[in-house]
């Protein structure tokens, strides 16, 4: 295959293709790229292409490119690039080093695809599953995940423990410092709890300042240990709610291991009863 045939293939590729030389500047874009951006080769030449990168992605995008160029390593990244109609689209960009016939490095070649629908679809999925404030699962999705674990535990005779956790005197935080401070407390409590959990554990915001934690394949004794670690970690956490105010809060945790409950809701309710035991016994404690 001669060079002219290669050129025709690259020009007609459905992917957006670019090339950079040893100066790190881009010196070629195929027709697909130019049609996407609506720019001429001269406008994109060098680092002209970077003017189309979304401002929020620009520094990260350029850093990934330059760092890997220096190391002569392949890279892959997603960033938003302005289309000819002014709309920003998510682009998946894969760059690889290329060499001449003497195996001397002479630059990079990249291939890009519009992946906007895929990324936005994933974000919508995450929004439907996650609590945006606390960065945990939301009530519905954590319940869905736990239901699968509950059914599996019942069929295979596996242990399963549920923790119900509530922030002590949370209303006082909101009343004294405002709901903004309350949100900061919630996010810090969730983050501290998450650090004490394992990869397969399930953490969901159950509602308000209450959290549901599912511990797969975990005995009652082990669940108590994890709950105590969580309680201690949160008690030690210093939470800065304003430039001049730092708070410490505590939590109460109820622990219940699967033992004859016929439904997940029954197991959760029994863990909730243990939580209220912890509250009635003076708060900042684990009851199981």
């Amino acid at each position: 295959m001669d060079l002219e045939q290669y050129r025709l293939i690259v020009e007609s590729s459905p992917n957006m293709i670019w090339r950079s030389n040893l100066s790190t500047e881009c010196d070629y874009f195929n027709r697909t790229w130019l049609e996407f951006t609506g720019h001429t080769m001269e406008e994109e030449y060098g680092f002209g292409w970077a003017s189309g990168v979304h401002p929020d992605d620009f520094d990260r995008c350029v850093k990934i490119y330059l760092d890997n160029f220096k190391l002569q390593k392949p890279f892959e990244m997603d960033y938003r690039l302005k289309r000819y109609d002014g709309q920003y689209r998510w682009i998946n960009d894969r760059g690889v080093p290329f060499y001449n016939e003497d195996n001397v490095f002479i630059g990079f070649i990249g291939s890009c695809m519009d992946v906007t629908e895929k990324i936005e679809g994933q974000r919508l999925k995450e929004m439907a599953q996650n609590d945006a404030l606390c960065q945990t699962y939301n009530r519905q999705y954590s319940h869905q995940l736990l239901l699968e674990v509950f059914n599996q535990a019942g069929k295979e005779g596996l242990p399963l423990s549920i923790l119900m956790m509530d922030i002590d005197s949370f209303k006082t935080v909101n009343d004294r410092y405002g709901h903004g401070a309350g949100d900061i407390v919630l996010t810090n409590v969730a983050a501290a709890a998450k650090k004490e959990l394992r990869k397969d554990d399930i953490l969901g915001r159950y509602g308000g300042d209450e959290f549901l934690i599912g511990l797969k394949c975990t005995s009652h004794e082990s669940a108590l240990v994890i709950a105590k670690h969580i309680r201690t970690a949160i008690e030690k956490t210093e939470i800065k709610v304003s430039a001049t105010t730092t708070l410490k809060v505590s939590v109460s945790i109820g622990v219940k291991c699967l033992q004859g409950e016929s439904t997940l809701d029954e197991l959760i309710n029994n863990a909730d009863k243990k939580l209220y035991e912890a509250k009635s016994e003076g708060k900042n404690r684990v009851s199981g």
Side-chain angles (χ1 to χ4, degrees):
M1 186 180 295
D2 60 27
L3 288 175
E4 180 60 21
Q5 288 176 308
Y6 274 118
R7 188 190 69 80
L8 290 173
I9 290 171
V10 171
E11 280 295 296
S12 59
S13 170
N15 288 2
M16 301 158 59
I17 295 174
W18 55 267
R19 181 185 67 194
S20 62
N21 53 40
L22 288 175
S23 71
T24 73
E25 295 184 339
C26 291
D27 58 12
Y28 171 78
F29 299 89
N30 73 342
R31 183 188 309 156
T32 308
W33 176 289
L34 298 177
E35 289 177 350
F36 178 90
T37 62
H39 294 164
T40 65
M41 186 76 75
E42 291 73 23
E43 289 172 323
E44 300 289 71
Y45 200 91
F47 280 100
W49 62 273
S51 65
V53 176
H54 193 286
D56 292 345
D57 301 333
F58 181 85
D59 290 343
R60 173 180 57 85
C61 175
V62 173
K63 184 178 188 306
I64 291 172
Y65 169 65
L66 293 178
D67 285 353
N68 286 281
F69 192 99
K70 183 178 179 180
L71 296 171
Q72 298 179 25
K73 288 179 57 178
F75 66 83
E76 180 177 357
M77 60 180 170
D78 295 329
Y79 57 90
R80 286 162 290 182
L81 185 68
K82 187 181 291 186
R83 197 168 59 182
Y84 63 87
D85 58 0
Q87 181 182 358
Y88 282 103
R89 304 286 293 179
W90 280 101
I91 300 298
N92 175 259
D93 193 343
R94 299 184 180 191
V96 295
F98 75 103
Y99 306 84
N100 64 17
E101 60 275 9
D102 297 320
N103 203 34
V104 175
F105 172 68
I106 55 175
F108 263 70
I109 291 179
S111 178
C112 308
M113 293 179 61
D114 187 332
V115 292
T116 304
E117 282 70 26
K118 177 182 177 181
I119 289 180
E120 291 185 348
Q122 180 63 32
R123 289 189 168 188
L124 288 173
K125 180 181 177 181
E126 290 174 356
M127 287 173 62
Q129 296 175 346
N130 297 337
D131 182 90
L133 175 64
C134 295
Q135 296 301 301
T136 66
Y137 295 127
N138 60 28
R139 178 170 180 159
Q140 293 77 14
Y141 191 62
S142 59
H143 191 281
Q144 179 184 327
L145 292 176
L146 276 172
L147 186 58
E148 295 174 5
V149 175
F150 178 86
N151 290 335
Q152 182 187 19
K155 288 178 182 178
E156 302 180 18
L158 300 172
L160 168 63
S161 293
I162 295 291
L163 312 185
M164 290 298 292
M165 180 176 78
D166 185 85
I167 302 175
D168 298 325
S169 305
F170 183 68
K171 185 176 184 299
T172 302
V173 174
N174 280 330
D175 291 346
R176 184 174 298 176
Y177 303 102
H179 289 279
D183 287 348
I184 295 171
V185 168
L186 283 167
T187 59
N188 278 266
V189 165
K194 195 180 296 185
K195 288 180 181 178
E196 301 302 320
L197 296 176
R198 302 157 302 184
K199 181 181 177 182
D200 292 335
D201 294 335
I202 297 166
L203 173 61
R205 186 179 178 193
Y206 201 63
D209 60 314
E210 194 170 29
F211 294 86
L212 170 66
I213 301 171
L215 305 177
K216 184 178 179 180
C217 297
T218 304
S219 68
H220 184 252
E221 293 76 15
S222 297
L224 285 172
V225 171
I226 293 171
K228 289 173 182 177
H229 286 167
I230 292 171
R231 187 202 65 77
T232 301
I234 291 170
E235 185 182 32
K236 291 179 178 178
T237 300
E238 294 186 349
I239 304 172
K240 191 171 184 177
V241 297
S242 73
T244 57
T245 306
T246 299
L247 303 179
K248 282 190 174 183
V249 299
S250 64
V251 295
S252 298
I253 304 175
V255 180
K256 183 65 177 72
C257 185
L258 177 61
Q259 192 176 17
E261 288 88 355
S262 59
T263 66
L264 174 61
D265 287 339
E266 184 183 0
L267 178 59
I268 292 173
N269 287 337
N270 286 339
D272 210 32
K273 291 176 183 177
K274 293 294 182 181
L275 168 62
Y276 280 98
E277 283 182 17
K279 290 281 190 183
S280 63
E281 290 170 3
K283 303 179 180 180
N284 191 23
R285 63 187 63 222
V286 173
S287 176

